[in-house]
Amino acid sequence: MTTTLKEITALRGLRCRACGALQPADERYVCGECLGPIEPEYDLDVFETETLRADIERGPASLWRYAPLLPVAAPATHWPVGWTPLIEANRLGDALGIERLYLKDDTRNPTLSFKDRPVAVALARALELGLDTIACASTGNLAGAVAAAAARNGLRAFVFVPADIEPGKIASAAAYGATVVRVKGPYDAVNRLCGRLADEYGWGFVNFTLRPYYAEGSKTVLFECAEQLGWTLPHHIVVPVGSGALLTRQATAANQLRATGLVPESHFHIHAAQPAGCAPVSDAVLDNWRPVEPVRRPETLAKSLAIGAPADGDGSVKIVRDTRGSAASVTDDEIREAATLLATTEGVLVEPAGGVVVATAKQLASRGVFHPGETVVLYLTGNGYKGGPEETALGPVIDADADAFRLAYEEVLA
Amino acid sequence: MSVTVRLPTPLRSAVGGERTIEIDASDLTSLQREIAARYPELAARVLRDGAFGRFVTVFVDGEDARFLERNADLSTAKIVEILPAMSGG
């Protein structure tokens, strides 16, 4: 299969992270030599820094402004995914004891999670390959992102999810017209089924057969943070870890930003955030950087992070170590408290994974990981409107009467 | 005791294009040993130092082999499945 990719980006090929072999950017999705994970590699020397910076700044208000650093061009049907706000969070910062705190609010993507980013890039590749069906194994957010992208492009979509998923998440996927397949067992069972089906059907499984492209979309979170901070890297980012693809691609993004001269050298640390009920990466980091041990039965409120056997688990541990970062695993109670703190101090409503990130930042701050004057960015990757941290505490229903209001809400008014 | 091992597309060229292979093995250790002995090309891709590498996931009747003992009995297993280790919700 020949492609036109090399004409539109600096893509050199797909490099295996395990054996190092450089391979052509064809339909392969794992290394042909060793079955290891393959990632796009770019010839970054082709860029002149100021020209690249100007091109990006002139680009669309979406992740496609970074098209030169992506493995595929924007399709004609692209829509505004990414370019989400980076918000100063002084009230939350005061509560956590972090002086310069920012929120990367990726809850504001078209389907309310960061998954719209990897799907945008995977979809562009699917269109390039002429596929008529896209699919995924999902803990929820990816299902919605795939379903919406398929709808917008007239493709068929199958999304496979654990049967115990939050109804709000699959309701949206179904509304977009996807076939939602609920599978008994944890995410890893869904994943196994999809690995098999990806082999039998010629569909574009975004997180299998399109994975080398899919994962590249996640780089754009850090590209945006750097640009929004005036072309400099934050000192710290706190990243939720499910499969580890988001975390590992932040290191790739930082390397590419530095190599192209878009940002100066500075110290940059990546921290992993996981729920205690499924923390294979955080546990490995905190247990002296040991190899990741899969979790057989994840049990956590943060279902979007309930991946017991993360494909990029060991890669995540290595990157946290290489960047001199750290990790935390937080309980369901800490997750709830943190999500509430975020909502009540900054007006941002997140799914439990966001609570995991805020709770992790709290732990890291109390350990003295962040120093005064350092910028800290929390990655908020999923919106609470799709199924937040349990039912919101609501007050009593009252008659349309002022006295009834005063009586029922006496405590709040005091 | 013969076990059926199902292979994904990227591995089939290592066994002459077959989707499945039959291997005499009583447990995971002997399965790995037999793969090394009978299918050196497949072994080069999936084994590291004689054991399944970290870039493949092996399932025994749907159960992730990492949760099984190395000497777990394969005599009643219907199928062993080897897949590239990928996930991402």
Side-chain angles (χ1 to χ4, degrees):
Chain A
M1 176 100 202
T2 57
T3 74
T4 57
L5 299 181
K6 287 186 177 113
E7 294 164 28
I8 51 176
T9 76
L11 186 68
R12 190 184 274 163
L14 301 172
R15 175 84 66 185
C16 177
R17 264 205 342 259
C19 73
L22 183 65
Q23 301 160 52
D26 54 17
E27 288 99 333
R28 76 187 67 204
Y29 57 96
V30 290
C31 176
E33 304 293 322
C34 73
L35 232 61
I38 48 177
E39 291 177 9
E41 182 171 282
Y42 303 85
D43 184 2
L44 299 176
D45 292 338
V46 303
F47 296 116
E48 193 281 314
T49 302
E50 292 315 315
T51 306
L52 176 61
R53 193 194 312 276
D55 286 347
I56 290 171
E57 290 176 350
R58 265 199 311 271
S62 78
L63 58 74
W64 292 111
R65 66 202 282 111
Y66 306 105
L69 297 171
L70 293 173
V72 59
T77 52
H78 76 86
W79 59 348
V81 169
W83 199 240
T84 56
L86 184 71
I87 304 166
E88 276 190 86
N90 296 331
R91 276 170 47 76
L92 179 64
D94 287 346
L96 299 180
I98 302 173
E99 194 180 299
R100 295 183 63 200
L101 183 64
Y102 293 85
L103 309 174
K104 182 57 175 167
D105 189 2
D106 240 31
T107 72
R108 301 205 203 181
N109 277 303
T111 68
L112 310 184
S113 91
F114 90 104
K115 290 293 186 183
D116 287 315
R117 293 177 188 268
V119 168
V121 180
L123 178 98
R125 179 60 171 166
L127 293 175
E128 197 171 57
L129 293 172
L131 303 179
D132 62 8
T133 303
I134 56 173
C136 66
S138 173
T139 56
N141 287 322
L142 181 57
V146 164
R152 184 169 169 76
N153 289 274
L155 304 183
R156 195 166 59 145
F158 286 84
V159 299
F160 297 81
V161 296
D164 70 345
I165 201 165
E166 300 101 318
K169 288 194 170 164
I170 44 176
S172 60
Y176 293 128
T179 299
V180 178
V181 183
R182 288 176 294 163
V183 181
K184 289 176 187 170
Y187 172 79
D188 295 289
V190 183
N191 197 51
R192 179 173 59 81
L193 172 64
C194 288
R196 171 85 184 279
L197 295 177
D199 220 37
E200 294 186 9
Y201 295 92
W203 303 341
F205 270 87
V206 298
N207 46 349
F208 288 89
T209 54
L210 297 169
R211 188 172 186 83
Y213 297 84
Y214 166 87
E216 285 288 281
S218 295
K219 292 188 312 191
T220 59
V221 185
L222 190 68
F223 289 165
E224 289 177 18
C225 290
E227 186 177 351
Q228 289 163 325
L229 288 170
W231 291 112
T232 184
L233 290 174
H235 296 106
H236 302 269
I237 58 173
V238 183
V239 184
V241 178
S243 73
L246 175 62
L247 187 145
T248 54
R249 275 23 174 233
Q250 302 319 292
T252 310
N255 291 339
Q256 292 177 352
L257 287 166
R258 287 171 173 143
T260 51
L262 288 171
V263 301
E265 287 296 326
S266 59
H267 66 94
F268 170 64
H269 311 280
I270 301 178
H271 307 282
Q274 289 201 299
C278 184
V281 169
S282 289
D283 288 349
V285 168
L286 297 171
D287 192 11
N288 205 25
W289 315 103
R290 64 160 165 74
V292 166
E293 290 170 7
V295 174
R296 191 173 198 169
R297 291 191 179 82
E299 284 182 20
T300 170
L301 182 67
K303 291 189 190 303
S304 62
L305 303 180
I307 296 177
D312 285 310
D314 285 318
S316 296
V317 173
K318 179 178 186 307
I319 278 161
V320 170
R321 185 173 199 173
D322 288 349
T323 64
R324 291 181 295 120
S326 188
S329 68
V330 295
T331 64
D332 281 356
D333 284 344
E334 289 174 302
I335 294 167
R336 283 190 199 94
E337 275 172 33
T340 301
L341 180 66
L342 173 64
T344 55
T345 55
E346 299 295 344
V348 177
L349 188 66
V350 290
E351 65 169 19
V356 173
V357 169
V358 174
T360 293
K362 185 179 179 184
Q363 278 198 21
L364 297 176
S366 70
R367 282 191 234 150
V369 169
F370 310 131
H371 298 112
E374 290 182 338
T375 47
V376 179
V377 176
L378 308 187
Y379 279 29
L380 305 180
T381 52
N383 199 302
Y385 284 106
K386 279 198 270 185
E390 300 190 340
E391 202 170 310
T392 311
L394 298 175
V397 176
I398 58 164
D399 292 330
D401 177 85
D403 286 336
F405 164 64
R406 277 188 280 275
L407 185 63
Y409 290 88
E410 198 176 354
E411 262 183 49
V412 186
L413 292 169
Chain B
M1 180 60 72
S2 179
V3 178
T4 301
V5 179
R6 183 187 288 135
L7 300 169
T9 305
L11 286 178
R12 288 178 195 157
S13 63
V15 295
E18 297 295 324
R19 281 170 172 265
T20 61
I21 53 175
E22 298 294 322
I23 291 185
D24 285 330
S26 56
D27 55 25
L28 284 171
T29 305
S30 60
L31 177 69
Q32 291 161 164
R33 198 169 52 231
E34 284 299 304
I35 288 175
R38 288 180 50 201
Y39 298 100
E41 201 180 327
L42 177 62
R45 298 200 196 174
V46 302
L47 300 180
R48 294 288 173 275
D49 300 323
F52 289 116
R54 294 184 78 80
F55 296 116
V56 294
T57 310
V58 177
F59 297 93
V60 178
D61 287 340
E63 184 73 25
D64 191 325
R66 287 172 290 191
F67 297 122
L68 303 175
E69 299 294 329
R70 296 191 70 77
N71 59 358
D73 184 14
L74 292 187
S75 61
T76 58
K78 292 190 183 72
I79 198 142
V80 172
E81 197 165 13
I82 301 177
L83 289 172
M86 284 195 285
S87 67

